[in-house]
Amino acid sequence: MKKVEGIIRPHLLPAVRSALHRAGVGGVRVSEVKGFGRPADAWGGRLDPARRTAFLPKLRVEVAIDDGALEPVVAAFRACTASGRRGGEVLLARSDDVVRIRTEEQAESAA
C-alpha cells in the first residue's frame, strides 16, 4: 500500500479529481493547508523577507492505493499540475496497513 499526497493550488482541484478518477482511484481526501517553500531568491529573484515566509493557501489531496497503481496516480497529479511554476509537490509514503472502520475491511479491500 502507498499513501500519495499532492500539495496543489486550489483552482487545480477539479482537474486533479477527474484525472484521479480516470486513474481508478476510488476515494480521495482533501484538506485546506497553508505553507511556504523556497524563497524566490533561490532562483535569482529578489523578494522582501515578509513575502518570503507568507503562507499561501494550498490543498492537500490524499489517496491510499495499491503499489501497482502508483505510476498512474503520480502521472495524474503531474498531468494536471505541471505548470513550471513553484507551489506544488507529490509526496509518497509506504503504508503498512489500512482499516476501514465501518466495515472492518483491511489492506487493499479497504483502500
Side-chain angles (χ1 to χ4, degrees):
M1 300 282 313
K2 297 277 191 226
K3 178 181 175 186
V4 181
E5 294 182 23
I7 307 299
I8 66 170
R9 294 173 186 209
H11 71 277
L12 298 173
L13 182 60
V16 170
R17 181 181 56 207
S18 296
L20 291 174
H21 181 70
R22 285 191 305 274
V25 173
V28 176
R29 183 176 304 112
V30 177
S31 310
E32 293 181 1
V33 295
K34 292 183 180 182
F36 63 89
R38 289 189 274 178
D41 59 299
W43 286 274
R46 297 286 177 234
L47 192 61
D48 68 73
R51 290 194 55 206
R52 279 187 197 162
T53 57
F55 286 106
L56 301 174
K58 304 285 182 186
L59 295 177
R60 177 177 30 217
V61 180
E62 300 172 279
V63 296
I65 56 170
D66 299 337
D67 290 342
L70 183 61
E71 287 304 316
V73 168
V74 172
F77 274 106
R78 285 180 139 165
C80 296
T81 60
S83 66
R85 297 172 57 196
R86 296 182 302 252
E89 55 203 12
V90 176
L91 309 163
L92 310 173
R94 184 166 307 184
S95 180
D96 293 331
D97 203 358
V98 64
V99 178
R100 184 176 304 276
I101 295 171
R102 180 179 53 86
T103 62
E104 298 184 10
E105 293 172 279
Q106 280 191 264
E108 284 80 20
S109 61

